[in-house]
Amino acid sequence: MNPADLLTLALEKGLFAALFVFAFWFILSENKKREESQRDLYISLSESLEQAKDAITSIEGQIERIDNTQSNISQDLLEVKFLVNSMESILKAQLNIRDNNR
């Protein structure tokens, strides 16, 4: 039964019955629109959540790479310090030998 037939039938029963049927139909149609809007919102939020998860995963990967790079730089710096100290010791020893030979 379509809304017009239902409204005509309600008018036969009185004005308040017709108003009730109209209000009931109006509420149902508005609820349907609201539910569709909410469904679209949920889909949008779900997609946004997935994008946020992807961004977090990407950031975590970048942080891990930065941490690994920092560790490598620290190790390289220690090696350079060791080599500089070794070279300094060798140079001092050679200078001492040269000074002793004079």
Side-chain angles (χ1 to χ4, degrees):
M1 181 175 273
N2 68 26
D5 292 340
L6 190 59
L7 192 57
T8 304
L9 182 61
L11 278 173
E12 291 174 2
K13 299 295 181 185
L15 181 62
F16 289 109
L19 288 174
F20 175 80
V21 169
F22 175 75
F24 184 69
W25 173 80
F26 180 77
I27 289 170
L28 288 178
S29 66
E30 288 299 312
N31 282 345
K32 183 178 180 182
K33 290 176 189 176
R34 187 183 75 234
E35 287 173 3
E36 289 173 355
S37 175
Q38 286 178 343
R39 186 184 67 237
D40 293 342
L41 176 64
Y42 294 150
I43 290 170
S44 175
L45 289 173
S46 175
E47 291 170 355
S48 295
L49 181 61
E50 287 299 319
Q51 291 173 352
K53 285 180 182 179
D54 292 343
I56 289 171
T57 302
S58 173
I59 291 169
E60 287 174 341
Q62 291 174 357
I63 289 172
E64 186 175 331
R65 285 192 298 277
I66 289 169
D67 187 43
N68 290 338
T69 301
Q70 186 270 334
S71 295
N72 291 340
I73 289 172
S74 295
Q75 289 174 349
D76 291 346
L77 182 59
L78 289 175
E79 289 177 23
V80 167
K81 285 181 179 179
F82 175 76
L83 291 173
V84 167
N85 288 335
S86 298
M87 291 170 65
E88 182 182 15
S89 298
I90 292 170
L91 286 174
K92 283 182 181 178
Q94 288 180 351
L95 287 174
N96 284 337
I97 292 172
R98 192 175 77 179
D99 287 342
N100 288 338
N101 287 341
R102 286 186 184 184

